Structure formats: structure tokens, C-alpha cells
């Protein structure tokens, strides 16, 4: 769905029409989830916070100034995730550099290792772009909206990240 | 390995799926759109605007523009004072003598500028035969603003002369300009007339005791007396009389 079509739906939502919520949710959930996951690195916590982000969006949507909804909700998700991360860091004294990806107990451990390897090879932005595009199937345009970076920059980051991964992962 | 192959490899290894939380969100008691409320920023803006309006309103009440900054006086023989504010709007009218009071009786000066008020006064004075041919009108302007004094003098002189011309009256206008000094309320005489009377007292045998009588006289008569006095002085100087003039052009009481 094009950004202007989402804007139209958001405009309706801001007047109180909840019928359009599903469409908005399905159009933005991947972006929101990966933004949160990249910061919290824990799928369960990301899942919980994702719900909070949408409820917070409903609280604030009536004040939304028509700009770019994907960017708006991605920024909201990022800020909420950073707040959660900081709160937990204060409690457990976690070092962000040592923080590994944690998945639910039923998830594949290979997946965790690979993600942690990727995280070590790539910097934060590169990892986020690769994760969103390769795993989340989010278009470069949407990633550019979500991260608030020009599409050219996103493409350049992606290509550089793929080169690093090719060399770093030793994939045959 | 191409980018595409690497992409496929990663997709095969990482089976991450984005959870669907829509039902949880919809079942939340907070699932509703909060009505647009006045934000703190807007509240601040509204409060600031209200305070600003309040200050302006208060200031406009405190510093009302009705403060008199200029006085225009007209001595025909009815004597009238026109008070103007800083914006040159007429804020008050006053008759210095009974004829003056009568002339401005019921004159609604609201929304009129000084030129319009002078026009009305001149029309009334002509209708009531206060102005005769060869008469003299004394126009006094009191203000601390030199530029304003000069522009008012030019404008009003022209206005009076044009008005007189329409009635075929050959009338002279004497203009007296002063810095603001307040009006001579007690004497019921305009400052312009007061100046002429004082000049006459200084240069003739009239004394301050004659002031009351002189103040009742027409400007034309005062002016004639000044001229007579000047002529007498010249004659006496020619005759070698050293200032012991014995002028007796006192008005009859």
C-alpha cells in the first residue's frame, strides 16, 4: 500500500473510525516489530511492546499532523523500545555490547547464533536494515521512511552490510 | 555467493515471524481513539494569547488616547477651544465665553476631525452673524509638536479662508502658536487672545486691571487698538517725545 493510502486511513482513524485499524496494523506491524526487536533483542519483549506501541498510537493519533505515518509510528516504537531497554538496563546492569539475542524456548538455537553473528559483523544500522529487508521483507522505501533516512542511504547501507556478511559469515 | 544467494540463505536459516497481536490489541480496554485534547503546547498558546489580550485591554484603558496633546482655539468673538488627542482626534470642545458656549451647543464632535469641527463652527458663526466683512479671526494652536503646530496652522487657516470666501467675507486670520501651557480656565480667555491682550498691556497705557474688559473685546477691535498704539508711538518718536506717551485709547467700560 502506498504511503498516501495509509495517510488516508490514518486520517479516518483519527476521527474515531476504528474499522480502518486492521489495515493500518497489517501495513505497519513488520516495521514496528523489527524496530523494537533490534533494540530489545528479545522476541517476547518485542511482542509485548508492539501491543503497547499500537495502543499508544491510538492515544496520540488525534494529534497526528499529516506527514509520514510509517516514520511517525517507527519513531514512536523506537522511543518506547529505548525507554524499555534503559529501564531494564538500570535493573539488570546489562552491557549493550554483551547483550545477545534471546528467543522463546521453542525457537531454533541456530537462528540465535546466526543473528548474534550477524550482529557482531554489522553495526546497529546495518543490522537493522538487513533484518528489515531480508527477514521482514520490508521494502527499501518503507525502511527509509521508518528510519528517517534517504532511500539512497538505505540502499548503500544494505549493499555494504551484505558485503560484510559475505565475508564474515564464511558461507559457501 | 551473490547477494541473492546470501539473502536466500539467511531467510532459510532465520525463521523469524512477526507475531500477530491484533486480537490482543483489540481486546484491550484502551482500544479506542482518544479525542483530540488541548495539548500542553496549545494550552500554553491559548493562555499566552489571553494574557496578551488582557494586557492590551488594560493598557488601552489606562493609557486612554483621550489625553489632550493639542489645543486649537478660535476667537471670533465667541471664543472656543478644541482639544485634540495625540491622534489629532477631537476629544473635547469648550466655550470660553457665553457666545462660544452657545455656538458649540449640541455639536456632536464624535467621529469628526479638527477640520470638520472648525468647518461646523465657522458655518454656525456665519449663520449667527458673528463674522462680519473685514473681521479678524484669531487661530491659536498649542502643542509641543512643532511639525504638528505648523501643519495644523496651514490646514486650518486654509479651511477658514475658503469658508469665508464662499460667503464673500474678506476675513483676516491671525495665527498664534505656543508650546503647551494649559488653558487659562479662570480668565475664560484662550491663550492666543491672552497673548494679544498682554502685548497690548505691555505696549500701551493699559494695565492688568483692564484685562477683564479687554478680554471681552473682539479680536478686530484689539487688533485696531494695537495698530493705533503703534502709529501713536511712531508719531511720538518723530516729535521727540521720549516715551512719555499719553495714550488714552482705553475702551469704554
Amino acid at each position: 500500500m502506498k504511503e498516501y493510502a495509509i495517510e488516508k486511513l490514518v486520517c479516518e482513524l483519527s476521527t474515531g473510525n476504528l474499522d480502518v485499524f486492521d489495515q493500518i496494523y497489517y501495513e505497519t506491524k513488520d516495521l514496528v516489530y523489527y524496530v523494537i526487536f533490534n533494540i530489545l533483542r528479545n522476541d517476547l519483549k518485542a511482542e509485548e511492546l508492539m501491543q503497547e506501541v499500537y495502543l499508544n498510537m491510538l492515544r496520540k493519533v488525534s494529534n497526528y499532523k499529516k506527514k509520514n505515518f510509517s516514520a511517525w509510528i517507527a519513531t514512536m516504537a523506537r522511543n518506547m523500545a529505548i525507554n524499555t531497554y534503559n529501564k531494564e538496563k538500570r535493573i539488570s546492569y546489562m552491557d549493550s555490547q554483551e547483550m545477545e539475542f534471546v528467543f522463546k524456548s521453542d525457537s531454533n538455537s541456530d537462528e540465535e547464533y546466526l543473528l548474534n553473528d550477524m550482529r557482531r559483523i554489522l553495526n546497529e544500522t546495518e543490522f537493522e536494515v538487513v533484518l528489515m529487508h531480508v527477514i521482514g521483507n520490508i521494502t527499501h522505501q518503507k525502511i527509509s521512511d521508518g528510519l528517517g533516512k534517504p532511500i539512497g542511504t538505505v540502499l548503500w547501507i544494505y549493499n555494504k552490510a551484505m558485503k560484510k556478511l559475505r565475508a564474515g559469515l564464511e558461507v559457501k | 555467493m551473490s547477494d541473492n544467494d546470501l539473502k536466500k540463505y539467511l531467510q532459510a536459516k532465520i525463521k523469524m515471524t512477526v507475531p500477530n497481536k491484533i486480537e490482543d490489541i483489540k481486546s484491550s480496554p484502551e482500544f479506542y481513539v482518544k479525542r483530540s485534547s488541548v495539548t500542553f503546547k496549545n494550552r500554553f498558546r491559548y493562555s499566552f494569547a489571553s494574557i496578551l489580550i488582557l494586557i492590551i485591554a488594560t493598557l488601552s484603558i489606562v493609557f486612554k488616547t483621550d489625553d489632550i496633546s493639542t489645543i486649537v482655539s478660535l476667537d471670533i468673538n465667541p471664543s472656543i477651544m478644541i482639544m485634540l488627542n495625540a491622534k489629532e482626534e477631537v476629544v473635547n470642545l469648550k466655550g470660553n465665553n457665553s457666545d462660544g458656549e452657545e455656538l458649540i451647543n449640541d455639536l456632536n464632535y464624535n467621529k469628526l476631525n479638527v477640520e470638520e469641527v472648525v468647518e461646523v463652527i465657522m458655518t454656525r458663526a456665519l449663520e449667527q452673524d458673528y463674522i462680519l466683512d473685514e473681521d479678524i479671526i484669531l487661530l491659536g494652536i498649542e502643542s509641543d509638536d512643532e511639525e504638528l503646530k505648523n501643519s495644523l496652522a496651514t490646514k486650518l487657516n486654509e479651511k477658514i479662508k475658503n469658508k469665508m470666501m464662499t460667503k464673500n467675507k474678506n476675513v483676516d486670520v491671525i495665527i498664534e502658536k505656543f508650546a503647551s501651557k494649559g488653558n487659562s480656565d479662570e480668565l475664560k480667555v484662550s491663550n492666543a487672545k491672552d497673548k494679544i491682550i498682554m502685548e497690548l498691556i505691555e505696549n500701551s497705557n493699559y494695565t492688568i486691571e483692564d484685562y477683564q474688559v479687554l478680554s471681552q473685546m473682539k479680536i478686530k477691535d484689539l487688533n485696531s487698538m494695537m495698530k493705533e498704539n503703534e502709529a501713536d508711538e511712531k508719531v511720538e518718536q518723530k516729535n521727540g517725545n521720549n516715551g512719555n506717551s499719553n495714550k488714552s485709547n482705553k475702551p469704554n467700560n
Side-chain angles (χ1 to χ4, degrees):
Chain A
M1 192 185 281
K2 298 270 185 201
E3 195 59 38
Y4 69 82
I6 300 177
E7 291 295 331
K8 223 172 160 186
L9 293 173
V10 174
C11 195
E12 276 191 52
L13 183 69
S14 65
T15 61
N17 180 9
L18 284 167
D19 295 343
V20 295
F21 178 80
D22 290 20
Q23 280 174 275
I24 295 169
Y25 174 81
Y26 287 115
E27 277 301 319
T28 54
K29 75 174 173 61
D30 292 357
L31 181 69
V32 169
Y33 179 78
Y34 285 110
V35 165
I36 301 168
F37 178 77
N38 190 44
I39 295 166
L40 297 182
R41 300 178 196 182
N42 181 312
D43 64 345
L44 205 65
K45 285 176 186 171
E47 205 176 310
E48 277 170 27
L49 191 62
M50 190 181 172
Q51 185 176 334
E52 279 305 305
V53 169
Y54 280 95
L55 291 175
N56 193 37
M57 180 272 286
L58 287 174
R59 280 194 287 273
K60 294 184 173 173
V61 73
S62 57
N63 292 324
Y64 168 73
K65 304 271 183 303
K66 203 177 171 184
K67 276 186 217 159
N68 182 329
F69 183 76
S70 298
W72 186 65
I73 198 164
T75 308
M76 189 186 286
R78 181 171 288 108
N79 291 340
M80 288 175 77
I82 290 169
N83 284 346
T84 306
Y85 171 78
N86 286 336
K87 229 182 268 174
E88 293 189 352
K89 196 176 151 192
R90 274 201 299 275
I91 297 165
S92 62
Y93 303 100
M94 276 191 290
D95 182 346
S96 66
Q97 293 303 313
E98 289 170 10
M99 191 179 168
E100 301 271 287
F101 286 93
V102 180
F103 287 88
K104 280 180 263 188
S105 54
D106 60 343
S107 66
N108 182 355
S109 61
D110 281 354
E111 194 178 0
E112 284 181 37
Y113 288 135
L114 182 57
L115 275 170
N116 286 321
D117 276 349
M118 280 169 71
R119 187 64 194 86
R120 269 186 280 274
I121 295 165
L122 305 174
N123 68 29
E124 216 163 296
T125 318
E126 287 166 349
F127 179 80
E128 198 171 17
V129 170
V130 171
L131 193 71
M132 283 180 180
H133 185 67
V134 177
I135 314 300
N137 277 321
I138 301 170
T139 62
H140 285 121
Q141 180 59 60
K142 204 140 211 146
I143 296 170
S144 137
D145 291 340
L147 298 182
K149 292 185 191 300
I151 187 156
T153 310
V154 170
L155 282 168
W156 182 76
I157 292 170
Y158 175 74
N159 288 328
K160 202 170 76 167
M162 291 302 269
K163 247 185 223 173
K164 278 188 181 179
L165 284 178
R166 258 204 311 273
L169 288 176
E170 295 170 352
V171 182
K172 287 176 188 171
Chain B
M1 188 187 233
S2 68
D3 273 6
N4 228 10
D5 291 338
L6 179 60
K7 195 174 166 183
K8 276 179 190 162
Y9 168 79
L10 294 174
Q11 282 170 342
K13 286 273 180 186
I14 305 168
K15 298 284 181 199
M16 253 176 83
T17 47
V18 175
N20 192 352
K21 300 291 288 180
I22 194 158
E23 289 312 317
D24 292 340
I25 295 168
K26 283 179 153 182
S27 61
S28 165
E30 290 177 67
F31 184 69
Y32 61 90
V33 176
K34 203 177 170 198
R35 289 265 169 227
S36 177
S37 58
V38 181
T39 61
F40 175 75
K41 204 172 165 187
N42 283 342
R43 201 176 299 153
F44 177 76
R45 279 183 190 156
Y46 296 144
S47 309
F48 183 72
S50 311
I51 291 166
L52 203 67
I53 290 166
L54 201 68
I55 291 170
I56 291 168
T58 313
L59 287 179
S60 63
I61 291 166
V62 173
F63 300 104
K64 261 171 67 180
T65 50
D66 283 358
D67 286 347
I68 297 161
S69 69
T70 308
I71 299 173
V72 173
S73 62
L74 285 169
D75 284 281
I76 303 168
N77 190 36
S79 180
I80 295 132
M81 291 210 296
I82 308 165
M83 283 77 156
L84 313 180
N85 63 13
K87 292 177 182 173
E88 289 184 49
E89 292 165 344
V90 177
V91 292
N92 199 10
L93 276 181
K94 196 178 156 199
N96 278 327
N97 52 22
S98 56
D99 288 344
E101 279 168 11
E102 202 178 305
L103 204 63
I104 58 167
N105 191 26
D106 298 334
L107 199 161
N108 185 5
Y109 54 83
N110 279 339
K111 294 178 185 172
L112 294 181
N113 61 36
V114 63
E115 286 178 81
E116 289 164 333
V117 169
V118 167
E119 166 96 31
V120 174
I121 292 170
M122 288 297 133
T123 307
R124 288 187 177 188
L126 284 164
E127 281 169 0
Q128 294 175 35
D129 292 326
Y130 280 117
I131 303 172
L132 307 171
D133 202 21
E134 307 290 329
D135 240 343
I136 293 174
I137 294 171
L138 179 61
L139 171 65
I141 299 163
E142 279 182 53
S143 173
D144 291 328
D145 184 341
E146 279 301 315
E147 210 175 302
L148 178 69
K149 265 193 296 200
N150 293 334
S151 82
L152 275 176
T154 314
K155 269 196 297 196
L156 298 179
N157 183 27
E158 212 170 295
K159 177 72 105 187
I160 296 167
K161 285 195 167 160
N162 288 343
K163 185 73 192 170
M164 294 304 133
M165 268 166 68
T166 59
K167 299 286 174 186
N168 295 319
K169 302 267 187 206
N170 183 19
V171 169
D172 241 356
V173 178
I174 297 175
I175 301 169
E176 292 286 357
K177 292 182 255 181
F178 320 84
S180 283
K181 56 178 180 179
N183 55 322
S184 41
D185 257 357
E186 289 168 20
L187 299 168
K188 296 264 182 193
V189 174
S190 71
N191 285 325
K193 195 171 185 178
D194 173 73
K195 189 183 171 193
I196 288 184
I197 295 168
M198 291 312 288
E199 272 176 20
L200 191 62
I201 289 171
E202 275 174 32
N203 300 312
S204 69
N205 285 343
Y206 293 108
T207 63
I208 201 74
E209 278 80 43
D210 300 318
Y211 189 98
Q212 191 70 38
V213 179
L214 291 168
S215 70
Q216 308 290 317
M217 291 174 70
K218 285 191 84 171
I219 296 295
K220 187 185 174 184
D221 298 330
L222 290 173
N223 200 46
S224 311
M225 284 157 65
M226 288 274 275
K227 281 180 181 166
E228 275 175 36
N229 194 46
E230 279 167 16
D232 285 349
E233 269 185 5
K234 278 179 191 168
V235 172
E236 279 164 12
Q237 275 169 6
K238 267 188 187 175
N239 294 339
N241 189 332
N242 288 331
N244 285 330
S245 61
N246 201 13
K247 288 164 257 167
S248 59
N249 49 353
K250 276 194 176 190
N252 293 324
N253 235 341

